[in-house]
Amino acid sequence: MESVLMKILWIGQNEPLAHRLGNLLREGGKTDLSIVPTVNAALSQLGHNSFDAALFDLSGGKEGLEQLTLLAVQAPRLPIIAMSASKDGNFAADVVRAGAQDYLAEEDLEAATLRRVFCCAVERHAEHVALIEEKDNYYGVFDHLVEGVFRTTPDGHYLLANVALARIYGYDSPAELMASITDIARKLYVEEGRREEFIRLMQEHDTLSGFESRIYRKDDTIIWISENCRAVRDTQGKLLYYEGTVEDITEQKHAEEQIRRATDELSRSREELRAKNQLMEDNLRMAREIQFTMLPQQYPIFPPNAGSEQSALKFVHRYQPAEAVSGDFFSVNSLSDEEAAVLICDVTGHGIRAALVTAMIRALAEELKALAHDPGMFLRKLNSDLCNILKTTGSPMLTTAFYLTANWRTGMMRFANAGHPKPLLVRRSERSVRALSNASGHGQPALGLFDDPPYQMTEIQLRPGDLLILFTDGIYEVQGPNEELYTQERLMADVRNLIEKPTSELFDKLLEEVLAFSISHEFEDDVCMVGMELAARQAIPSPVKT
């Protein structure tokens, strides 16, 4: 310490004493002494220069103590050593309480003593300043926390609160909060008994977290808070106080309430929707059942006296809706003891809308029995009637259809095609499969598009053992690997490979082949297949003569 220059500020009127002190200090080490007469002058000096310590002349008595306090307050980082002629211990204590770090009587002035007193005073003051800074830092952090911090007594008043807690509760300062809330149970909590519940939990566990309550703010508005707390006890286990944190969770609670209401509303809506869906499913189930009853429940037998196995014309079908109801429809009817009629149609799309159109087509077809022997006129009239109905809806629905009549005795088959996929004529005697085109080779429009287009009737001669396969496009509009479609060509090839199979088994195997090709292993559209087979001649019984 002796090798370091010590800068001392003398404050007082006694210059001779000041110079004497300066000489004594220099004997102990390097010293730079500055002399000012008053506290105001000292403060002015401190504004421009720094000093290690100040020597304060207390010859002014009580007024000197007041000036000492003023200097200590205005320059809290400056160590102050006071001097006077008195050796009174009580006076020395008053001096320290007034803000000095030490007191010296004039008669005790010695170079070694004086230097040691200065060094000790500087060190003590440095420790004091560091402690104050640490305390300021602590309270700075304490008061700038986002969460409220509290310390309360078991009987319900505050020992400590930070700025954040005061702000949460609506008070201007922690002091105002602690002065205003002297009974936490009555003044703070909205629900009666909430403080008692808090204390009960603390007595059981000594800690709690997430204790949520509604509380009154200063302006009597109500907010939600969440408290975390621990009990602080002495070494004998006696409860001293509770301390913890408080978080304002009002917005969270409002959000939870909104979510709860929305959830309740969603539950009600879901229940209503479930009931409506159940009703719709029930309706669709009934519609499905009704639609299936519209399909042939049994096939006509030719001649009528034959058993089903000996019928000259045998029929097979497979029907798979993509949804509950289908846009595909077919009918098989007997026009006479020798002639059958087969109608197959496919309404664009699938589902309820398409199913309703199929129901209309079935009803319209029932009214066209007078034209049933002429496929061209049958489709022409069916198209006209359908157009008239759809015009009133303002929503055209494209419908493809294929209609045929077949005489088992003569083998003559007549047909007309309204934009429908070409049926396959399977000639087992030649192991051939070909698509059945009309005589002109040109396609004709689907039903429901034009008012009165003509539909060409075509005649072909069936041979015993021939099989005619009618189908809707759902059978081949299936996507396989690498976005490859099944196509009609592949359908013909698979039928050719299965040509030796009985018709019913051929249909089942063919569907298996298509599903195996499909990447999803299911049909995406309605599927309808109808087979009509002319029996071999020797299997046909002679009609009974009446």
PDB file of all heavy atoms in Angstrom, residues 364-380:
ATOM      1  N   LEU A 364     -88.862 -45.581 -66.946  1.00  0.00           N
ATOM      2  CA  LEU A 364     -89.142 -45.254 -68.346  1.00  0.00           C
ATOM      3  C   LEU A 364     -89.121 -46.505 -69.221  1.00  0.00           C
ATOM      4  O   LEU A 364     -89.949 -46.669 -70.129  1.00  0.00           O
ATOM      5  CB  LEU A 364     -88.107 -44.234 -68.860  1.00  0.00           C
ATOM      6  CG  LEU A 364     -88.171 -42.832 -68.233  1.00  0.00           C
ATOM      7  CD1 LEU A 364     -86.993 -41.999 -68.714  1.00  0.00           C
ATOM      8  CD2 LEU A 364     -89.492 -42.145 -68.580  1.00  0.00           C
ATOM      9  N   ALA A 365     -88.172 -47.400 -68.954  1.00  0.00           N
ATOM     10  CA  ALA A 365     -88.068 -48.631 -69.746  1.00  0.00           C
ATOM     11  C   ALA A 365     -89.319 -49.502 -69.585  1.00  0.00           C
ATOM     12  O   ALA A 365     -89.751 -50.179 -70.537  1.00  0.00           O
ATOM     13  CB  ALA A 365     -86.813 -49.401 -69.348  1.00  0.00           C
ATOM     14  N   GLU A 366     -89.901 -49.503 -68.374  1.00  0.00           N
ATOM     15  CA  GLU A 366     -91.094 -50.301 -68.139  1.00  0.00           C
ATOM     16  C   GLU A 366     -92.261 -49.834 -69.005  1.00  0.00           C
ATOM     17  O   GLU A 366     -93.168 -50.607 -69.334  1.00  0.00           O
ATOM     18  CB  GLU A 366     -91.486 -50.224 -66.656  1.00  0.00           C
ATOM     19  CG  GLU A 366     -90.560 -50.978 -65.719  1.00  0.00           C
ATOM     20  CD  GLU A 366     -90.711 -52.481 -65.888  1.00  0.00           C
ATOM     21  OE1 GLU A 366     -91.824 -52.951 -66.195  1.00  0.00           O
ATOM     22  OE2 GLU A 366     -89.703 -53.199 -65.739  1.00  0.00           O
ATOM     23  N   GLU A 367     -92.246 -48.531 -69.370  1.00  0.00           N
ATOM     24  CA  GLU A 367     -93.347 -47.967 -70.152  1.00  0.00           C
ATOM     25  C   GLU A 367     -93.145 -48.152 -71.660  1.00  0.00           C
ATOM     26  O   GLU A 367     -94.002 -47.738 -72.456  1.00  0.00           O
ATOM     27  CB  GLU A 367     -93.499 -46.480 -69.835  1.00  0.00           C
ATOM     28  CG  GLU A 367     -93.853 -46.203 -68.374  1.00  0.00           C
ATOM     29  CD  GLU A 367     -93.901 -44.709 -68.072  1.00  0.00           C
ATOM     30  OE1 GLU A 367     -93.664 -43.922 -69.017  1.00  0.00           O
ATOM     31  OE2 GLU A 367     -94.168 -44.351 -66.923  1.00  0.00           O
ATOM     32  N   LEU A 368     -91.999 -48.726 -72.065  1.00  0.00           N
ATOM     33  CA  LEU A 368     -91.685 -48.839 -73.494  1.00  0.00           C
ATOM     34  C   LEU A 368     -91.825 -50.267 -74.014  1.00  0.00           C
ATOM     35  O   LEU A 368     -91.147 -50.673 -74.968  1.00  0.00           O
ATOM     36  CB  LEU A 368     -90.252 -48.337 -73.749  1.00  0.00           C
ATOM     37  CG  LEU A 368     -89.981 -46.878 -73.386  1.00  0.00           C
ATOM     38  CD1 LEU A 368     -88.528 -46.523 -73.666  1.00  0.00           C
ATOM     39  CD2 LEU A 368     -90.916 -45.954 -74.168  1.00  0.00           C
ATOM     40  N   LYS A 369     -92.729 -51.047 -73.406  1.00  0.00           N
ATOM     41  CA  LYS A 369     -92.878 -52.448 -73.834  1.00  0.00           C
ATOM     42  C   LYS A 369     -93.344 -52.562 -75.273  1.00  0.00           C
ATOM     43  O   LYS A 369     -92.999 -53.518 -75.977  1.00  0.00           O
ATOM     44  CB  LYS A 369     -93.848 -53.160 -72.903  1.00  0.00           C
ATOM     45  CG  LYS A 369     -93.292 -53.356 -71.494  1.00  0.00           C
ATOM     46  CD  LYS A 369     -94.266 -54.110 -70.613  1.00  0.00           C
ATOM     47  CE  LYS A 369     -93.669 -54.322 -69.223  1.00  0.00           C
ATOM     48  NZ  LYS A 369     -94.598 -55.050 -68.315  1.00  0.00           N
ATOM     49  N   ALA A 370     -94.094 -51.562 -75.729  1.00  0.00           N
ATOM     50  CA  ALA A 370     -94.573 -51.621 -77.119  1.00  0.00           C
ATOM     51  C   ALA A 370     -93.428 -51.528 -78.111  1.00  0.00           C
ATOM     52  O   ALA A 370     -93.532 -52.013 -79.252  1.00  0.00           O
ATOM     53  CB  ALA A 370     -95.582 -50.492 -77.370  1.00  0.00           C
ATOM     54  N   LEU A 371     -92.310 -50.902 -77.706  1.00  0.00           N
ATOM     55  CA  LEU A 371     -91.146 -50.746 -78.591  1.00  0.00           C
ATOM     56  C   LEU A 371     -90.024 -51.718 -78.256  1.00  0.00           C
ATOM     57  O   LEU A 371     -88.932 -51.639 -78.821  1.00  0.00           O
ATOM     58  CB  LEU A 371     -90.601 -49.310 -78.498  1.00  0.00           C
ATOM     59  CG  LEU A 371     -91.582 -48.184 -78.852  1.00  0.00           C
ATOM     60  CD1 LEU A 371     -90.940 -46.821 -78.590  1.00  0.00           C
ATOM     61  CD2 LEU A 371     -92.002 -48.295 -80.324  1.00  0.00           C
ATOM     62  N   ALA A 372     -90.275 -52.620 -77.322  1.00  0.00           N
ATOM     63  CA  ALA A 372     -89.209 -53.465 -76.804  1.00  0.00           C
ATOM     64  C   ALA A 372     -88.596 -54.364 -77.853  1.00  0.00           C
ATOM     65  O   ALA A 372     -87.438 -54.791 -77.719  1.00  0.00           O
ATOM     66  CB  ALA A 372     -89.734 -54.298 -75.632  1.00  0.00           C
ATOM     67  N   HIS A 373     -89.353 -54.738 -78.948  1.00  0.00           N
ATOM     68  CA  HIS A 373     -88.807 -55.644 -79.962  1.00  0.00           C
ATOM     69  C   HIS A 373     -87.861 -54.931 -80.930  1.00  0.00           C
ATOM     70  O   HIS A 373     -87.161 -55.604 -81.692  1.00  0.00           O
ATOM     71  CB  HIS A 373     -89.964 -56.280 -80.746  1.00  0.00           C
ATOM     72  CG  HIS A 373     -90.842 -57.147 -79.898  1.00  0.00           C
ATOM     73  ND1 HIS A 373     -90.541 -58.456 -79.598  1.00  0.00           N
ATOM     74  CD2 HIS A 373     -92.021 -56.881 -79.269  1.00  0.00           C
ATOM     75  CE1 HIS A 373     -91.499 -58.970 -78.826  1.00  0.00           C
ATOM     76  NE2 HIS A 373     -92.415 -58.024 -78.616  1.00  0.00           N
ATOM     77  N   ASP A 374     -87.837 -53.579 -80.887  1.00  0.00           N
ATOM     78  CA  ASP A 374     -87.002 -52.805 -81.823  1.00  0.00           C
ATOM     79  C   ASP A 374     -85.971 -52.011 -81.020  1.00  0.00           C
ATOM     80  O   ASP A 374     -86.277 -50.936 -80.473  1.00  0.00           O
ATOM     81  CB  ASP A 374     -87.867 -51.846 -82.636  1.00  0.00           C
ATOM     82  CG  ASP A 374     -87.095 -51.141 -83.736  1.00  0.00           C
ATOM     83  OD1 ASP A 374     -85.863 -50.960 -83.580  1.00  0.00           O
ATOM     84  OD2 ASP A 374     -87.709 -50.744 -84.741  1.00  0.00           O
ATOM     85  N   PRO A 375     -84.746 -52.504 -80.875  1.00  0.00           N
ATOM     86  CA  PRO A 375     -83.744 -51.821 -80.048  1.00  0.00           C
ATOM     87  C   PRO A 375     -83.498 -50.367 -80.453  1.00  0.00           C
ATOM     88  O   PRO A 375     -83.322 -49.501 -79.590  1.00  0.00           O
ATOM     89  CB  PRO A 375     -82.487 -52.672 -80.252  1.00  0.00           C
ATOM     90  CG  PRO A 375     -83.013 -54.040 -80.545  1.00  0.00           C
ATOM     91  CD  PRO A 375     -84.245 -53.817 -81.368  1.00  0.00           C
ATOM     92  N   GLY A 376     -83.469 -50.055 -81.757  1.00  0.00           N
ATOM     93  CA  GLY A 376     -83.220 -48.688 -82.194  1.00  0.00           C
ATOM     94  C   GLY A 376     -84.299 -47.743 -81.737  1.00  0.00           C
ATOM     95  O   GLY A 376     -84.032 -46.665 -81.188  1.00  0.00           O
ATOM     96  N   MET A 377     -85.559 -48.120 -81.944  1.00  0.00           N
ATOM     97  CA  MET A 377     -86.678 -47.278 -81.530  1.00  0.00           C
ATOM     98  C   MET A 377     -86.776 -47.216 -80.008  1.00  0.00           C
ATOM     99  O   MET A 377     -87.136 -46.181 -79.438  1.00  0.00           O
ATOM    100  CB  MET A 377     -87.981 -47.821 -82.126  1.00  0.00           C
ATOM    101  CG  MET A 377     -88.082 -47.665 -83.630  1.00  0.00           C
ATOM    102  SD  MET A 377     -87.932 -45.920 -84.150  1.00  0.00           S
ATOM    103  CE  MET A 377     -89.372 -45.221 -83.331  1.00  0.00           C
ATOM    104  N   PHE A 378     -86.446 -48.330 -79.349  1.00  0.00           N
ATOM    105  CA  PHE A 378     -86.483 -48.377 -77.885  1.00  0.00           C
ATOM    106  C   PHE A 378     -85.544 -47.314 -77.300  1.00  0.00           C
ATOM    107  O   PHE A 378     -85.926 -46.529 -76.431  1.00  0.00           O
ATOM    108  CB  PHE A 378     -86.110 -49.775 -77.410  1.00  0.00           C
ATOM    109  CG  PHE A 378     -86.114 -49.945 -75.921  1.00  0.00           C
ATOM    110  CD1 PHE A 378     -87.262 -50.321 -75.250  1.00  0.00           C
ATOM    111  CD2 PHE A 378     -84.954 -49.714 -75.176  1.00  0.00           C
ATOM    112  CE1 PHE A 378     -87.265 -50.474 -73.869  1.00  0.00           C
ATOM    113  CE2 PHE A 378     -84.952 -49.864 -73.801  1.00  0.00           C
ATOM    114  CZ  PHE A 378     -86.107 -50.248 -73.138  1.00  0.00           C
ATOM    115  N   LEU A 379     -84.288 -47.276 -77.776  1.00  0.00           N
ATOM    116  CA  LEU A 379     -83.321 -46.311 -77.240  1.00  0.00           C
ATOM    117  C   LEU A 379     -83.681 -44.879 -77.635  1.00  0.00           C
ATOM    118  O   LEU A 379     -83.455 -43.930 -76.876  1.00  0.00           O
ATOM    119  CB  LEU A 379     -81.907 -46.647 -77.717  1.00  0.00           C
ATOM    120  CG  LEU A 379     -81.251 -47.887 -77.100  1.00  0.00           C
ATOM    121  CD1 LEU A 379     -79.813 -48.029 -77.588  1.00  0.00           C
ATOM    122  CD2 LEU A 379     -81.279 -47.851 -75.572  1.00  0.00           C
ATOM    123  N   ARG A 380     -84.249 -44.727 -78.841  1.00  0.00           N
ATOM    124  CA  ARG A 380     -84.623 -43.385 -79.291  1.00  0.00           C
ATOM    125  C   ARG A 380     -85.695 -42.795 -78.376  1.00  0.00           C
ATOM    126  O   ARG A 380     -85.608 -41.635 -77.965  1.00  0.00           O
ATOM    127  CB  ARG A 380     -85.127 -43.459 -80.728  1.00  0.00           C
ATOM    128  CG  ARG A 380     -85.382 -42.085 -81.351  1.00  0.00           C
ATOM    129  CD  ARG A 380     -85.640 -42.251 -82.835  1.00  0.00           C
ATOM    130  NE  ARG A 380     -85.774 -40.954 -83.482  1.00  0.00           N
ATOM    131  CZ  ARG A 380     -85.930 -40.795 -84.804  1.00  0.00           C
ATOM    132  NH1 ARG A 380     -85.953 -41.869 -85.602  1.00  0.00           N
ATOM    133  NH2 ARG A 380     -86.063 -39.591 -85.310  1.00  0.00           N
TER     134      ARG A 380
END
